[in-house]
Each structure stands twice: as C-alpha cells, then as structure tokens.
Amino acid sequence: MSRVLVVEDDKYIRDAINILLDKNGYQVLLADDGETAVEMMQHLPDIIIMDVMMPGMGGIEACRKIRQFSNIPILFLTAKSQIMDKMEGLEAGGDDYLVKPFHNEELLARISALLRRYNEYKGNENAEGSGYLISGDLRVSEKYNEVWKNDEKLELSETEYRLLKLFMKNKGRILSGKVIYESVWEEPYFYDSNNVIMVTIRRLRVKIEDDPKKPMHIVTEWGRGYKFV
C-alpha cells in the first residue's frame, strides 16, 4: 500500500483528497503547512501532494527543504493557472503540477503515473551490475539513478535522471517536445507541456553544465527541440 502525504491548508480540500485516496487503497498522511510536511517525512511517504500557497512555510520552500534529503515524487496543487506559479514549483524540484479545481480521475492518474515511474527507479536501484552511458565528463548508470560529473556524484531527481538518460541514449538527435514529454512523463503531450520540459531542462543544466547559460551538453534547437552533444 502506497503512503501519500497530502499537504493542504484548506480543510475541505484536504479531507476530500483524504477520502478519495482512502477509497482507492492509499494510506494517507495529512499536513496543513509546509513545516509540518517536512517533519512528517520521518513517516517515509511514497509521494507528496502539496499545495503551493499556504500560510507559514509554503509548498515551494517545503519542497526545497525536502529535496535536500529525498527524491520522492512531489505533485504540486495550485489554485492559479499562471505559468510562473507552475514554473516556480518545478524549479524547486517538483515533478508535476495540477491546477485546482481538478477532476478526481486526473489526480488519481497523476499519482499512479508518478508512483509507477518512481517505483521502477527504486526497483532498479539495487540491481546487480550496471552499464553506463558516458559522454565527456558525464557518466550515467543505465539501471539506477547514479550520475557523475568527472569524479563528483550528482544528486538528480528521478525526473531529471530519466530526462538525462533519454538525451544520452539519443546523442546527436534532435528530440521534439512531444518525444521528450511522452518518453519521460509518459503522458499525452499538449502545448503547455513545453513549459514543464523547459523548466526541467533548465534545472538539469544547472547540475551538469559548467555554465548553464552557455550549455555544452543539452543545446536548444530553436523551433525544433533539444539535442545532446
């Protein structure tokens, strides 16, 4: 049974999500602010559903703190549809976002997809033996989330790792936004998906590039997509 930490200051929404997840076989932990969410990480949830705007410590700050010690999936809930709110959550280390109000079926689908991808990563983490993808100063395990730049081990989220591995397996090939999104996020591509891709690539560049403003690994092919060189 997967354990879901729901972080939402609105009691009506929090209770509604609790009932929905309980009926669908999830074990639910509840928190009403970011500070409590960080403390409840000791209960080892498998995924976090977190509101962006909360009194005290908000979702963005809580995500940054959690990302210092955990790579579990974080799904942001936001009452706003503005791009900046979504982008800020992804920049902080979130894996996906859902705009309120949302359909129950969509929330369940997002949770299922994030857990499936994360559990695949965890299942491979202890696999014996591993091949590597190597390019210049980067070395990436094909089996589990271990990435090195020269002799320094990098801490990548599961989404960043999947994205980097996709690029390295397609070195020199221009990948469109549709190919990238449907390969990494495993969901149908829509125009708005480009924002998710852009922010995740920007976050990845900060970790693997010597100068993220002048990337030498992941380059943009304007109007066509991205390419790993």
Side-chain angles (χ1 to χ4, degrees), residues 43-61:
H43 297 292
L44 303 178
D46 298 295
I47 187 173
I48 301 173
I49 302 171
M50 182 142 55
D51 190 22
V52 172
M53 301 297 293
M54 294 181 288
M57 183 187 295
I60 302 297
E61 184 180 354

Side-chain angles (χ1 to χ4, degrees), residues 102-169:
F102 49 80
H103 294 292
N104 289 344
E105 292 77 10
E106 184 174 9
L107 175 61
L108 292 171
R110 296 289 182 94
I111 293 171
S112 177
L114 287 169
L115 282 172
R116 183 181 67 253
R117 296 199 300 265
Y118 185 66
N119 287 329
E120 286 174 358
Y121 148 62
K122 286 201 302 182
N124 288 327
E125 191 174 21
N126 297 319
E128 294 184 4
S130 176
Y132 293 93
L133 300 169
I134 300 174
S135 180
D137 56 1
L138 293 176
R139 179 163 59 99
V140 177
S141 169
E142 291 193 78
K143 287 186 177 290
Y144 51 98
N145 188 345
E146 287 196 353
V147 179
W148 290 265
K149 180 179 173 65
N150 294 318
D151 294 325
E152 178 187 1
K153 188 174 181 181
L154 306 180
E155 295 297 327
L156 269 60
S157 71
E158 182 259 347
T159 302
E160 293 164 351
Y161 164 70
R162 287 170 59 90
L163 180 60
L164 179 58
K165 190 166 68 168
L166 174 69
F167 275 126
M168 292 187 71
K169 284 187 172 182

Side-chain angles (χ1 to χ4, degrees), residues 48-115:
I48 301 173
I49 302 171
M50 182 142 55
D51 190 22
V52 172
M53 301 297 293
M54 294 181 288
M57 183 187 295
I60 302 297
E61 184 180 354
C63 179
R64 290 194 179 104
K65 289 184 177 296
I66 291 170
R67 280 291 175 253
Q68 294 175 9
F69 58 86
S70 174
N71 284 328
I72 71 168
I74 296 178
L75 172 65
F76 275 115
L77 301 180
T78 174
K80 301 178 181 180
S81 59
Q82 282 84 354
I83 290 176
M84 288 306 297
D85 293 315
K86 303 172 185 177
M87 298 304 100
E88 189 177 6
L90 295 173
E91 290 277 16
D95 294 282
D96 203 353
Y97 61 82
L98 193 57
V99 177
K100 297 186 285 188
F102 49 80
H103 294 292
N104 289 344
E105 292 77 10
E106 184 174 9
L107 175 61
L108 292 171
R110 296 289 182 94
I111 293 171
S112 177
L114 287 169
L115 282 172

